[in-house]
């Protein structure tokens, strides 16, 4: 049986580690993640975006995740990533998801609270936990300044507002904007998270915190992609030591998708290029699954999550 994000993150908060939340889109990605978690006896959050659900199909993605949970016997939550409406949250809860994110970060403060509260009221009735977001992860187009936001105060999470938001919305965890962003191009200049802001948020907000856009865009995997025909230029992620500092300050869920995409692409490109006569998909998707496992093991260790499955009895 899947557990909720809340169960995972409360344990993580008490024991000073973070749980990796990995995006799944197909069987090989999922199997790579599960293989790593089994190897290191780690709890997991499997997360599904709206796009992933549409790509794989509502039934397929759920059945794949159920198979992974049953097969691995690990503490696993199944979570909706960036839910954009009450209706979508409701649908996945009907499907059996144990956690949803309602992303109202683009809305005005009051509207974000109202939408989040509506989802919380429904989800809690079904024993499902809710992640909300306050502040904006704008990404590459905004990062024109000194290695961080050009107008941090306007878009980064305000600690006082975060406290009020959590109290009034009733959400179980909060995604914060402190300088991360989605994708492979997170910083133009020196990568730098606003860890001082994170500390202030941590002091005021009593529930678990979430870091989106936390891929490190590992240069060695980008290099493999590029040496086999890709053109990924100027990519920059969050340095691993800054992720570790964020976990130390008190982040309990760390979202990773881009690093999995790059690892998978590296393996597929390498396999196809080295064996041009090969056309059995298992011959390039197998290595891709292995590469996912390698990256996820690295993340589990980075987050201090290794061996933590046993905390869940
Ligand atoms: O936060 C975004 C995740 O990387 C999911 O991306 O919407 O393309 O599936 P996606
Ligand atoms: P990355 O693009 O940094 O992997 O972030 C993924 C994410 O935040 C999913 O919600
Ligand atoms: Zn995200």
């Amino acid at each position: 049986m899947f557990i909720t994000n809340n169960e995972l993150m409360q344990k993580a908060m008490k024991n000073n580690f973070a749980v990796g939340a990995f995006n799944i889109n197909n069987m090989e990605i999922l199997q790579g993640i599960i293989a790593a978690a089994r190897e290191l006896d780690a709890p997991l959050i499997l997360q599904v975006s709206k796009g992933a659900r549409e790509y794989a199909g509502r039934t397929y993605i759920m059945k794949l995740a159920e198979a992974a949970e049953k097969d691995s016997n690990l503490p696993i939550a199944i979570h909706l990533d960036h839910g954009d409406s009450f209706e979508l949250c409701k649908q996945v809860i009907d499907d059996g998801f144990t956690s949803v994110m309602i992303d109202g970060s683009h809305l005005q403060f009051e509207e974000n609270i109202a939408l989040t509260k509506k989802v919380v009221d429904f989800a809690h009735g079904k024993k499902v936990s809710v992640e909300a977001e306050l502040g904006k992860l704008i990404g590459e187009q905004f990062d024109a300044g000194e290695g961080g936001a050009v107008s941090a105060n306007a878009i980064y999470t305000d600690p006082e507002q975060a406290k009020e938001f959590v109290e009034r919305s009733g959400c179980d965890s909060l995604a914060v904007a402190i300088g991360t962003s989605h994708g492979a191009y997170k910083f133009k200049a020196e990568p730098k998270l606003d860890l001082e802001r994170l500390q202030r948020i941590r002091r005021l907000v009593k529930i678990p915190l979430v870091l989106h856009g936390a891929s490190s865009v590992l240069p060695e995997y980008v290099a493999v992609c590029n040496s086999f025909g890709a053109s990924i230029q100027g990519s920059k992620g969050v340095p691993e030591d800054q992720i570790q500092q964020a976990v130390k300050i008190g982040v309990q869920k760390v979202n990773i998708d881009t690093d999995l995409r790059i690892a998978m692409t590296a393996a597929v490109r390498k396999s196809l290029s080295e064996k041009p006569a090969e056309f059995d998909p298992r011959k390039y998707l197998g290595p891709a699954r292995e590469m996912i496992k390698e990256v996820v093991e690295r993340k589990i260790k980075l987050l201090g999550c290794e061996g933590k499955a046993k905390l869940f009895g």
Side-chain angles (χ1 to χ4, degrees), residues 2 11 25 37 58 63 73 75 89 98 132 134 142 195 225 255 259 290 308-309:
F2 288 114
K11 275 257 167 41
N25 291 277
R58 174 179 182 170
K63 294 292 172 197
N73 212 15
C89 292
T98 52
L134 186 69
F142 112 98
L195 294 172
C225 289
N255 284 14
D259 279 337
E290 271 305 306
K308 296 297 193 297

Side-chain angles (χ1 to χ4, degrees), residues 27-28 271 278-289:
M27 185 184 78
E28 281 77 10
S271 302
E278 191 56 72
F279 51 81
D280 178 345
R282 293 171 296 188
K283 296 288 178 357
Y284 52 87
L285 293 177
R289 185 168 62 186

Side-chain angles (χ1 to χ4, degrees), residues 6 38 44 51 60 62 93 105 144 163 261 295 303:
N6 203 28
R38 283 179 85 152
L44 271 182
Y60 277 86
M62 193 62 204
I93 291 170
S105 60
K163 179 177 189 294
R261 293 178 178 193
V295 170
L303 302 178

